[in-house]
Amino acid sequence: MTLVELQIFKEQLLADLDTISSTDQLEAFKLAHLTRKGSIAALFERLREVSKEEKPQFGKELNLLRQTIEARFADKEALIGSSSKRSKDAIDLTMPARPIIVEEPGHEHPLMRTFNEMIAIFEKMGFAIAYGPEVEDDEHNFGKLNFPPDHPARDMQDTFFVAPNPTWKIGGDDEHVVLRTHTSPVQVRLMETQTPPIRAIVPGRVYRNEAVSARSQAAFFMIEGLVVDKGVTMADLKGVLLSFAKQLFGSDVKIRLRPSFFPFTEPSAEVDVSCYICGGKGCRVCKHSGWLEILGSGMVHPNVLRASGIDPEIYSGYAFGFGVDRTAMMRYDVSDIRDFFENDLRFLSQF
Amino acid sequence: MKISLNWLKEFTPVPFTPRELDDRLTMLGIEVEKIEDAASQYAKIVVGEVLEVEKHPNADKLRLTKVTIGNGEPLRIVCGAPNVRQGLKVAVAMIGADLGEGFVIKKSKIRGEVSEGMICSERELGLSENHEGIWELPQEYAVGIPLAEALGKSDVILEIGITPNRPDCLSHLGIAREVSAITGEAVSLPKVSLSPSSSRSKITVTLLDPDLCPRYAGRAIHGVKVGPSPDWLKARLEALGLRPINNIVDVTNLVLMECGHPLHAFDSAKIKDGKVIVRRAEGFATEFITLDGKKRKLDTETLLICDSEKPLAIAGIMGGENSEIAPTTKDIFIESAYFLPSSIRRSSKRLGLSTDASYRFERGADFEILNYALDRATSLIVELAGGEVAGDRVDVYPVPAKPKTFAFRPPRADALLGMRISETQMLDVFARLHIGVDQAKKDTWLLTSPSYRIDLEREEDAIEELARVIGYDNIPLATFERIPLPTTKEPLTQRELDLILRSELLALGATECVSSPLIATDEAKLFHDVPVVVVNPLNIETNRMRTSVAANLLDIARRNERFGAEGQRIFESGTVFAYADDKQMIGKIEERREVGVLLTGIQESKSPYNAATQKADIFLAQGFAEQLIKRAGIAALQAIPLADAGALKSWPKAASFLAADRSIAVKAGEATLAIAGKVSQSVQDAYDIRHDVYIVLVDYDLLFDVLKRSRIEGKKVKPLPKYPAVERDLALVLKADVSGANLQKEIEQSIPKELLSGVRIFDEFRSPEMKSSGERSLAVRIILRSSERTLEEQEVEQVITHVVDKLSKNLGARLRV
Ligand SMILES: [Zn+2]
C-alpha cells in the first residue's frame, strides 16, 4: 500500500458515489465500504503493514479519506432521501415559515452607505441611472474611448483578462475580453443606443490588476457621469461637481479643477475638494495640501463622440468618474481599504 | 521624475518659492508629488559643538549640556542620549524649529532645569530610523552654519508626475518651458561650441526599416579617456537619483535629464566595418545580450542597431554588452535617433524591459531636438574626456517630418469652456507655448504645434491649452443646467428594487457585506462546474469569477466564526458570472445579479420574552426568502422541497451545495425566484465552519422581470367584506409522513369555494406516544366567510364535520382529544 494507491482509491470511491442514484445503490455502497467489514475498515487493518516512520502520515491520510467519504455519503443520502435517514430526523419541508425575530436592525456596509448617498445626490439633480456589463470587450473598454492600441495610456489601467469560453487556450483565436477597468465603457454604450440629450450616472464595480494594499483593491466601486447635449460646457461640469461636493461633504467645501490627462476627455481635469477635515488649512488626511483628490473629469473627446455615432460639431458633453472607496475611507477614518472587504462583524456593527 | 530647482533656474527665471512653484505647476497639470527642500525642512537647525556635559541633578538618565552655535552665549540644553560628550559636533534644533507633526521646539524646563533647544537624533530629522542616540556630525563641519548647508543640500528637488500625453515635460528643459508659459520669460539652452576637426569618421549609417526609425543621427569622437566624472556632474546626477558610471555615460544621462532626448554611446572599435545598420531582427538575430548581462530573446519585429555581422543594441531600449563603453575604450560613436513609439512600446512590453530611454521613446520623442542633444553631449564629452570630434555629424533623415498643423475656430473655445477669451489673450497664450498661428482666415486659424508637443493635434487640444494657461480656476461656474425631462414610463427600476431589498434585509436584522468577485477555483467550483477563468490573476486565490455570492458569504461566515461570532445574519448583493452559450453576451459570459443571505448559529437569544435560544433552521431561511419577495411586491408564493423543484438554470449545482432534506425552492407560478436551505456537509467542511449554515439565494434578475410584469398588469382592490368571518381551530393527529402542505390542500378542497377564506397551520406537537407510533399533531385554523350572508352556527358545523370526515378518510387523521 502506498500513498498514491490511497489517493487513487479515494478518487475511485468518490467517482462511484457520484454515479449512485437509488437507495439500493446507496445501501450497496455502504455495505461494501462503510461497514465494519467494508473496504475502508480493511484499509485501517492494513495499517499494521506500514513501517513505523510512515504510519502517522498514512493514519492521517486514511482518517481524512474516511471523513471525506462519510461526508459525501451523507450528502448523497440526503439527496436521495434514504429511508433510514428520513425516519430519524426528517422534517416536513412544507410547514409554514418561521416568523423572523429581529433583535436589532442589520448594519449598513460603510462602502455601500457612501455609494448609495452619492447615487441619491445625482438622482436628486436629475441624472438617470444606467448600468453596463462588468465583462467588457476591448473595443468598449479602450478602443472607442480613444485608447490607441500600443499606447502608454493603457498602462494607466492595469487590466484583468478573462477567458471568453471554457475551452479557451492561451494563444488561441478567441478575442480577449476584459474585466472593465472603469465605468466609462457604459458612456459609449449609452451614446450608442440613445440620442442626446443624455444625462446619466453609471454606478458599478470595476477591476484593476494591481497588487492589493492598504490603498488599493483589485475590485472596487466607481460612479461615472455623462451629460451630452447641444451647448454643454466645462462651466456646467464645474457647477454640477461643486453642487455634488457640497451635498456630500458640506456646504463650506470648495472644489478645484486642475489640468490632467484622460484619453477620452479633452480638456481633462482632475478635481480636488477642499479638505473637509481641516477646512483647507492642511492636515494628515490631505497630506498638508488642503486638498483631497476625489475625481477625474473632462469634456468628452470628439473621437469618443464620433466613435459612438454622435457628431461633435453639433453636440458636446462632459464626463466624470470617481472611486467610492477612497472617499469612504476618508469619511470614516479607515486607514486600510482592506477593512472594507474583510466584513468583520466587529467592524460592520459600528455602522 | 526628479527636477532640481537650481538647475531649472539655469534655463529660465523661476520667480517662485518652492511652494508657489508646486502650486503653479499643479494648476498647469504638472503634478508635484513631493518636494525635498532640506533648507526649509531644517530651518532653525544648525551645527553646534558640545562644550560641557554635567549630570542632571534630578534625573539619572539626563545630562545638562552647554552647546555653542557660534555667536552669543552657549545654549543650555537638557539631553538624554548616552553618547553626548564634550567636543562633539551635533545638530541643534533651536527654539522655534519645526520637526514636523506639530513638534515645535520651545524653551522649556525639564525636571526643573532650563532647556533652550534640542540635540537631534537621525530619526528626529527624518533621515533614518536610528534613535539610539544623538547624531554625531563630522568634526569638519563649521559651528553655526545651517544644517542643510553643512549637508550640501541647498538645492530643492521636486518629484514630478507626468501624464502619458506629455513626454515633452520629462526633462528640465520641458519643465522650464512650462514655467515660461506662466512667466512669459524666455527659455535658453546651454550654448554649444564644437571645434572642427580634420580627421574623418569612418562610421556610416543605413536605415533598412525607416518606418520604425525615420531619423538617425550620430557623431564619432576619437581618443577619449574614459574615467570618473567630475564632482559637479556626479552630484547633479545623484541629486536626481541616478548612479554615476563614467564620464561618457554620465554625459548622455545628463543630456537626457537636461533636454529629454535619450542618447546612446557605443565603443566604435566594436562596430565591425564601421557600419551602423538599423533593422528589424527578422532574419538577422534571435537573441542578444543586453548590457545588464541578460540574454534576451528577440521577436522578429524588434528593431535593432547592428553592424555588418551582429546586433549592437536594442533600439531605443538598451545597448549591448558587446559594444558598451569600457575603461579601455578610445573611440566612441554617439547615437541620437527617433524611433516609432508603438514599436518601442511593443518591444519593451515583450522583453519585459523598461528603461529611461524606452519610457521616453514610447511616449514620443522630439524629432527636432536630436541634433542639439547630440552636439551638446559631444561638446561635454570633449570637455570632460578629451578626444577629438571626427568629421561631420551623420544625420540620416530620408523623409523630414512636417510640422503638425490644424484648424482652430476661436468661438469654439467659449462653446466648450463656457468662458469668454479674447483673441488677444488667445494669441498671447499660443505665443507663450510656441504654437504657430496663421490668421489668414479670420474665422478659422491655422495652428502649428511645436515639434515636442506630440499631444497637440486638434482644436480641442488647443482649447485645453488656453484653459490650462489662463487657469481652470477662471472657468466660470454654471449654477443651473437644462435637464432633459424623462418621457418614458418605468414600471420598475433596478435602483428601486435594490433599495427595497436592501432596506428590508437591514430591517430583518441582516448586516450588509461587500466582497470581491475574484475568488479561488475550489470555492467557485462548489457552485458551478466551470467558473469563468481570469487569465492573468493576481494570485491563485483569485483566479475565478464568483459563481454565487454564497461563496463570499461562506468565507465571511468562517472568518467571523473564528472571531467568536455566536450567530450571524449577513447578506450580500452582487453580480455572479457563468459561461453561457449565447453569442449576444460578451465573451459568452452571462452576468446575473444575486442576493444572498447567510444564517448561522444563534438567531434568537434568551430574553425576558424568550425562554430559549433559537439557532438558524430551514424555516427561518424560508422566512427570509418569502419575506423579501413579498416585500418586493409578489404575494402569491409557494414553497416546495428543493428536491421537487427540478433542474434550476440559475443554480445548476443546488442539489450538491444544499442538503436535500433541509432545502426548499420558493416559486411564484412557474418561476423559481429563490432557494433556501442548509449548506451541505461537504461544502460546510470545505469552508471549515463549525455551526450549521443556512443560505438563501434570490434570483434578482428573474425577480425583477416577474415584478415588472406584475406592475405592468397593475392591481385592483377588491371590495371590503360585508359579513363577519368565523374561525374554527382543529387539533389533528396524523401519520408523521403526511405533510403540512398535503393537509392544507385536503382541507381547502373539502370546503365550498364561496365559503373558504383561509387555512393556516399554527401548531405542531409530538407526545412521546406519538413519536413511538410515528405520528404527530398539527393544529389548524380554518376561516370561513360568505360574501352574501352572515354564516349560521349550524352551517359552520356542517362544513367542519365534512372537513374532519374527509381528513379521516383521505389522510387517516383523527381529532386530538
Ligand atoms: Zn486636511
Side-chain angles (χ1 to χ4, degrees), chain A residues 342-347, chain B residues 555-566 568 690:
Chain A
E342 281 287 307
N343 296 292
D344 185 330
L345 288 172
R346 297 167 300 179
F347 173 81
Chain B
D555 191 41
I556 295 165
R558 157 180 49 197
R559 269 201 305 277
N560 281 307
E561 199 179 76
R562 296 281 137 80
F563 298 148
E566 289 264 286
Q568 297 185 55
R690 212 154 32 89

Side-chain angles (χ1 to χ4, degrees), chain A residues 71-72 75 78-79 85 89 91-98 100-109 112-113 116 119-120 123 125 129 131 133-137 150-152 154-156 159-166 168 177 179 189 197 199 205 207 209-211 218-219 221 227 229-230 232-236 238-240 242 256-261 266-269 288 293 299 301-303 312-313 318 340-346 348, chain B residues 19 23 26-29 31 163-165 342 345-346 349 362-363 409 412 415-418 458 460-461 464 468 472-473 475-478 481-484 494-495 499 502 506-518 530 533-536 538 545-546 556 559-560 563 568-570 575 577 579 586-589 591 604-605 614 617-620 622-624 626 641 655 660-664 680-682 685 739-741 761 764 776 778:
Chain A
R72 290 297 177 83
D75 284 348
L79 194 66
K85 174 115 183 164
D89 52 66
I91 52 170
D92 178 358
L93 290 172
T94 70
M95 293 291 278
R98 177 186 289 280
I100 301 167
I101 304 290
V102 179
E103 288 169 359
E104 67 168 31
H107 303 281
E108 285 182 272
H109 196 287
M112 290 297 106
R113 183 180 187 151
N116 278 304
I119 296 172
E123 275 190 299
M125 292 197 279
I129 301 178
Y131 301 91
E134 293 177 29
V135 174
E136 263 295 1
D137 48 40
D150 297 317
H151 193 275
R154 289 196 175 211
D155 291 346
M156 292 165 86
T159 311
F160 281 118
F161 298 99
V162 293
N165 61 58
W168 178 88
V177 285
L179 292 177
R189 294 188 175 276
R199 199 169 201 270
R205 175 101 65 170
Y207 301 81
N209 195 348
E210 289 165 2
F221 292 92
V227 173
D229 199 356
K230 288 174 185 162
V232 174
T233 72
M234 208 152 165
D236 296 322
K238 252 181 138 172
V240 161
L242 179 63
R256 170 176 92 165
L257 272 67
R258 55 190 161 83
S260 187
F261 169 71
E266 185 78 31
S268 301
H288 306 282
E293 185 178 317
M299 302 305 291
H301 197 287
N303 286 356
E313 287 295 311
Y318 62 75
F340 287 139
F341 298 92
E342 281 287 307
N343 296 292
D344 185 330
L345 288 172
R346 297 167 300 179
L348 294 178
Chain B
R19 269 303 307 224
D23 194 49
T26 298
M27 293 311 285
L28 264 192
E31 204 165 336
T163 51
N165 60 325
S342 58
R345 179 171 157 86
R346 270 197 298 266
K349 283 254 139 173
E362 70 176 22
R363 280 161 175 72
R409 295 159 295 173
R412 290 289 290 173
L416 204 57
L417 299 174
R458 61 171 68 73
E460 288 74 13
D461 302 331
E464 181 175 67
R468 200 165 75 83
Y472 279 19
D473 278 349
I475 297 173
L477 262 176
E481 206 187 339
R482 291 165 302 151
I483 297 168
Q494 186 179 320
R495 171 79 177 154
L499 291 180
R502 179 171 187 267
L506 291 167
L508 291 176
T511 289
E512 186 175 32
C513 296
V514 178
S515 13
S516 169
L518 302 165
V530 196
V533 177
V534 178
V535 178
N536 56 339
L538 278 172
M545 302 303 292
R546 71 173 162 203
I556 295 165
R559 269 201 305 277
N560 281 307
F563 298 148
Q568 297 185 55
R569 200 180 267 194
I570 55 178
T575 313
F577 302 81
Y579 288 115
I586 298 161
K588 294 189 185 170
I589 292 167
E591 295 179 26
E604 295 173 26
S605 29
Q614 174 66 46
D617 69 1
I618 177 58
F619 300 112
L620 183 68
Q622 181 186 352
F624 267 89
E626 292 183 354
D661 60 343
R662 294 281 191 284
S663 300
I664 54 147
S680 63
Q681 198 58 46
S682 55
D685 290 348
S739 74
I761 297 172
E764 182 185 23
R776 65 169 168 166
L778 292 175

Side-chain angles (χ1 to χ4, degrees), chain B residues 480-495:
Chain B
F480 65 93
E481 206 187 339
R482 291 165 302 151
I483 297 168
L485 299 171
T487 53
T488 49
K489 175 176 169 160
E490 284 289 344
L492 177 69
T493 63
Q494 186 179 320
R495 171 79 177 154

Side-chain angles (χ1 to χ4, degrees), chain B residues 5 16-23 32 35 37 40 156 158:
Chain B
L5 187 56
F16 307 118
T17 66
R19 269 303 307 224
E20 283 165 357
L21 183 62
D22 170 0
D23 194 49
V32 179
I35 304 176
D37 180 0
S40 65
V156 175
L158 305 171

Side-chain angles (χ1 to χ4, degrees), chain A residues 274-292:
Chain A
S274 59
C275 179
Y276 50 86
I277 290 165
C278 64
K281 287 198 291 286
C283 69
R284 183 179 54 84
V285 177
C286 61
K287 296 202 200 88
H288 306 282
S289 71
W291 295 99
L292 299 166

